[in-house]
Amino acid sequence: MARSRTLCRARRLAALFLLAPCWAAAAGDELSTCATGSKEELGRAMDAHNQHVYRMNRKFKDVWYFQGAVPASVGKEVTFESVHGYLARLAPRRAALLFHATGQNRLCTWLIMQDRSVVRHQQHLSGDALAALSPAQWQELGVRSARKPRVGEPDAPIAPLDPEESKRRWDALLARLSGILLPPPVAERVVDERIDTLIVVPISIRSGQYPREGENDTATHLQGGQKIGTLPAGTQLVLTVGTVPFLALPVGGRPLVERASVIVAPGFLPFAGEPDPPRAGIEAPLVVGAPIRKGLEPLPGARDEAVQIAHDLATKAYVGEDALKRRVLDELAGRADALDFILLATHGRASEKNPVDESFLEFSDGRLNAREISLLRPEDGKTAERRRLARRPIVVMSACETGLGKDFAVGTIGLARAWQWAGASSVVMSLWSVDDAATRDLMVDLVAMLRTGTAVDRALREAAINARRQNDNPAFWAAFSVFGAPERARSK
């Protein structure tokens, strides 16, 4: 399996193009609480979101999506007061929280502000609109725009895009995404209030049946009228908000990266507590990359990345034959009280069908899957070997599609959520297969800023800005996102 800089799996792209019914069904019962966009509906949507997150996280314990009664206490500590309070305590950040809900082909958008105000917007969202906004589009554009993709074992070759054609299609796609997810009243408030931190609480938006029964044209299209696959009549399309490259979305005539950092939250529950304090830097890192094993493609870019970052952090890089799963698990067990930063530059795979057991990272002696990662969190009341990571480290997965997995009503379950469940404070995750050299440079820049105590979302934003100066195609700078909850930031 090729790394995130590679052409990952052509079979995955094909599956996304076809949007198999099982994938749509995986979204579960969507948050159908949008009728008028009122504050009361927002409250109901928040409650429903909390319950769905509880059910989804139970997959780390139970193989199946939990169908039993949700404890009455779940999410009760999350209120408007707690969310507003959390946002206020993020100062000097100028933070806002973005949330959506759907209902009867309507999409409600709420932007919750630090000053306790809420921007509300409602729009009609047809299946035809969603047909042009499948995640397959930006994943395919990311893959085909890469200058030197490494092919794993694709079912069929995917031709590279001409740079001008790539840019044209990116621009059109991102403009449409922004118009739907950041509608004019929301975008205007982001600009007017000089928001510098956008927190996204994700949902999966499902269309009605598309194409409609009886239609002859059963193809969904990329921008420019190019068909990406044939859809059976009655297929539901899914737009998963948490996998959207928000940094690249145009807001007020400029990409959002020029205005704000973005962090995708695992739900509302973090906002019942206090933001983490600013970090002093990186004190106890673990750096692993470029495993060597029969059947694995060599990763020279990942090796350079790991070696350079380890040098900058004055630590050892476990690369090549030393890039061992056993080493990672030993470090996580023996240094759980100390580790505050983990970089894994390797091959990866995200599974839609079995995201917990078949989403994994590759090492020289085997695979580390999402379930094994999740077991780093202790069972309730137990603190033996399966101990929670005490220092809540930042985890950077510089590997293929580590932000993807199986999509449910309230987001995606896979490797990123497994690390968050295990105790990571924030997870840097990829949204598609990216260019090797660009990713190496971006990660080196990211870690250089983390060393100074820069908050991870702000560090990623600055690294993305630097990468954009080298190549303004979003495929090269917008492929990574942060999953977690924002910490307090140092004053600028």
Side-chain angles (χ1 to χ4, degrees), residues 242-302:
T243 64
V244 169
F246 271 91
L247 286 177
L249 299 189
V251 177
R254 295 155 51 192
L256 185 57
V257 71
E258 295 187 10
R259 301 182 183 276
S261 63
V262 177
I263 188 162
V264 179
F268 284 99
L269 292 178
F271 309 124
E274 292 288 325
D276 286 344
R279 291 176 180 263
I282 297 174
E283 300 173 351
L286 172 63
V287 179
V288 182
I292 296 175
R293 195 176 80 234
K294 184 178 180 180
L296 290 183
E297 182 183 349
L299 302 174

Side-chain angles (χ1 to χ4, degrees), residues 25-90:
D29 296 331
E30 62 182 328
L31 300 182
S32 300
T33 56
C34 170
T36 64
S38 68
K39 188 173 181 180
E40 291 71 24
E41 287 178 354
L42 170 58
R44 291 195 294 273
M46 289 170 58
D47 289 342
H49 199 281
N50 292 333
Q51 293 187 30
H52 277 290
V53 168
Y54 175 87
R55 293 179 187 278
M56 181 167 59
N57 286 341
R58 282 288 298 267
K59 279 185 66 67
F60 291 124
K61 292 184 177 181
D62 313 320
V63 174
W64 305 107
Y65 189 81
F66 180 70
Q67 298 295 331
V70 173
S73 61
V74 169
K76 295 304 180 186
E77 65 271 34
V78 181
T79 64
F80 286 120
E81 292 298 321
S82 68
V83 173
H84 284 305
Y86 190 101
L87 293 175
R89 290 188 291 275
L90 286 173

Side-chain angles (χ1 to χ4, degrees), residues 313-477:
L313 296 177
T315 193
K316 178 178 175 60
Y318 296 102
V319 296
E321 293 179 351
D322 291 331
L324 299 171
K325 171 184 174 180
R326 182 178 69 253
R327 169 75 65 179
V328 173
L329 293 177
D330 287 348
E331 291 279 320
L332 291 173
R335 300 174 63 200
D337 290 333
L339 284 174
D340 62 355
F341 176 80
I342 300 168
L343 173 79
L344 305 172
T346 181
H347 300 275
R349 172 177 289 181
S351 171
E352 305 101 334
K353 293 183 178 180
N354 189 350
V356 177
D357 295 307
E358 295 180 7
S359 294
F360 56 79
L361 300 169
E362 292 275 17
F363 296 93
S364 295
D365 58 345
R367 296 169 172 174
L368 180 65
N369 67 29
R371 187 176 301 280
E372 291 173 296
I373 294 167
S374 73
L375 290 175
L376 295 168
R377 177 188 177 111
E379 297 179 15
D380 294 341
K382 297 181 180 180
T383 58
E385 294 182 359
R386 294 178 180 176
R387 61 192 301 175
R388 189 177 177 89
L389 297 174
R391 293 195 66 184
R392 305 189 66 239
I394 296 169
V395 176
V396 178
M397 289 190 291
S398 187
C400 180
E401 297 177 339
T402 51
L404 306 183
K406 190 169 186 175
D407 300 309
F408 289 86
V410 292
T412 302
I413 187 169
L415 290 164
R417 190 172 290 270
W419 278 113
Q420 185 270 334
W421 176 257
S425 61
S426 299
V427 182
V428 178
M429 59 186 187
S430 59
L431 306 178
W432 58 75
S433 304
V434 297
D435 183 78
D436 191 25
T439 299
R440 177 198 62 215
D441 296 343
L442 184 144
M443 290 299 172
V444 170
D445 282 350
L446 169 73
V447 176
M449 281 174 278
L450 291 175
R451 289 171 58 205
T452 68
T454 303
V456 62
D457 57 307
R458 288 186 165 183
L460 180 61
R461 178 194 173 213
E462 292 300 322
I465 289 173
N466 290 341
R468 186 168 175 262
R469 293 191 183 107
Q470 303 302 314
N471 191 324
D472 66 357
N473 188 315
F476 299 102
W477 59 267

